[in-house]
Amino acid sequence: MKIKSKVLVIAGSDSSGGAGIQADIKTITALGSYAMTAITAVTSQNTVGINSIIPIPVNVISKQIEFTSRDIKPDVIKIGMLHSESVIKTVLKSLNKLNIKKIILDPVMVAKGGQRLVNKKSIKLLKNNLLKKVTLVTPNVPEAEVLSGISIKTVEDMVYAAKRINILGAKNVLIKGGHLSTKKIHDVLLSNNKVEIFNSKKIVTKNTHGTGCTLSSAIATFYSCGKTIKKSCELGINYVNRAIMLGPNYGKGHGPINHINNIEIKKIK
Ligand code: PXL
């Protein structure tokens, strides 16, 4: 199989393999593209909770981004967990040096179990500075509430929040509706001033660790292959839904999804 495109991921490592850089590499690879990484922090965790978060020094983060990208130019950059102000400032500086305009941001704030992954000051900087740089931002409902400053209870609220986040500078906004208690899941995309709603069946499971990382990486991969933002979101949502449905049910807590749901593994004899 010929590799289709190159995606650089700037995000944290998840030792349990379901979220973070590990989910990103699996997703980008499963969808046929080439994954590169700049690791921002190393988390020790399992499906039940997070044991520790060790930051990578900021000069090491910028070196990973710049040194790697100067040699192999990414078609798209996907950004995940940026846990502190200094990390966001560093990433902004590096992005300004590289001439890569296609950027997908998953504004990671808390883990599935409820633990905070980033501090409050960094959320402010993300909102005021980083959002302006991105092609697409993919918050879930709690993250969209923080970014938009409004409380979200309905799909109409999601549309309003998406407009507010668009005004802050993000060119396209996808708010994921999984946290709302609607019968179906409604993901709201605001793209080119048009609202698109993707409706999915709700899959009842506790195994949804890493869905956000996986979705944003899937969208980044489809986008890097030349699909539009709208089509990339549609294909990304379908891929994650299948990954949830076919989850391996590992661990005692919020287990991982099946990132390789779309590929057939040939047995090596
Ligand atoms: O799913 C959010 C997330 C992002 N990045 C890392 C994580 C998690 C959740 O646990 O560990 C590194």
Side-chain angles (χ1 to χ4, degrees):
M1 182 190 188
K2 195 165 175 277
I3 292 179
K4 293 176 191 153
S5 64
K6 298 159 274 147
V7 180
L8 171 71
V9 183
I10 305 170
S13 161
D14 167 11
S15 61
S16 76
I21 285 278
Q22 286 76 359
D24 301 322
I25 298 174
K26 291 175 196 183
T27 300
I28 296 163
T29 307
L31 294 173
S33 291
Y34 183 78
M36 297 177 277
T37 59
I39 299 182
T40 56
V42 175
T43 72
S44 306
Q45 60 180 301
N46 59 26
T47 64
V48 180
I50 297 181
N51 179 272
S52 63
I53 304 178
I54 306 297
I56 299 296
V58 288
N59 66 323
V60 179
I61 298 174
S62 57
K63 270 189 201 158
Q64 292 176 83
I65 300 170
E66 293 172 31
F67 198 63
T68 304
S69 301
R70 274 202 207 106
D71 182 39
I72 309 177
K73 192 175 179 194
D75 299 300
V76 169
I77 295 179
K78 179 226 140 145
I79 303 175
M81 178 181 150
L82 306 176
H83 50 282
S84 71
E85 266 183 303
S86 59
V87 172
I88 298 184
K89 281 185 187 153
T90 299
V91 168
L92 275 166
K93 252 195 215 159
S94 292
L95 291 178
N96 284 338
K97 286 188 198 166
L98 304 171
N99 191 24
I100 297 156
K101 297 275 179 284
K102 295 181 174 174
I103 301 171
I104 312 289
L105 171 67
D106 180 18
V108 174
M109 293 180 194
V110 293
K112 201 86 310 124
Q115 295 103 322
R116 262 189 179 277
L117 290 168
V118 302
N119 64 33
K120 279 195 181 140
K121 277 192 178 162
S122 68
I123 293 177
K124 204 167 154 199
L125 194 62
L126 183 147
K127 193 171 152 175
N128 295 337
N129 296 60
L130 189 56
L131 273 188
K132 294 183 180 62
K133 290 254 157 224
V134 308
T135 317
L136 173 73
V137 64
T138 62
N140 58 29
V141 163
E143 289 158 353
E145 288 186 319
V146 171
L147 295 176
S148 68
I150 67 159
S151 146
I152 301 174
K153 297 275 180 297
T154 64
V155 174
E156 289 72 34
D157 295 340
M158 290 170 78
V159 172
Y160 182 51
K163 288 183 178 160
R164 302 260 306 216
I165 297 169
N166 179 234
I167 290 167
L168 290 173
K171 288 172 202 71
N172 301 279
V173 183
L174 175 70
I175 303 184
K176 301 167 287 186
H179 285 77
L180 289 190
S181 52
T182 42
K183 214 166 144 216
K184 284 190 152 196
I185 292 184
H186 309 287
D187 298 317
V188 172
L189 172 69
L190 179 66
S191 181
N192 297 323
N193 290 320
K194 277 203 209 107
V195 174
E196 186 73 37
I197 300 181
F198 302 103
N199 302 310
S200 310
K201 244 184 160 170
K202 223 171 216 176
I203 305 159
V204 183
T205 174
K206 65 177 180 22
N207 299 324
T208 55
H209 176 65
T211 44
C213 307
T214 304
L215 177 63
S216 51
S217 276
I219 294 171
T221 307
F222 289 119
Y223 187 50
S224 72
C225 294
K227 306 275 185 220
T228 63
I229 284 290
K230 183 176 149 189
K231 193 69 191 172
S232 301
C233 289
E234 182 194 325
L235 293 170
I237 290 165
N238 289 344
Y239 167 78
V240 171
N241 284 342
R242 269 198 316 275
I244 297 172
M245 233 143 38
L246 299 169
N249 198 23
Y250 291 157
K252 297 183 186 69
H254 294 288
I257 60 177
N258 182 350
H259 302 95
I260 55 168
N261 68 80
N262 63 327
I263 55 177
E264 209 179 301
I265 310 283
K266 288 200 185 113
K267 276 205 175 136
I268 300 167
K269 285 191 186 133

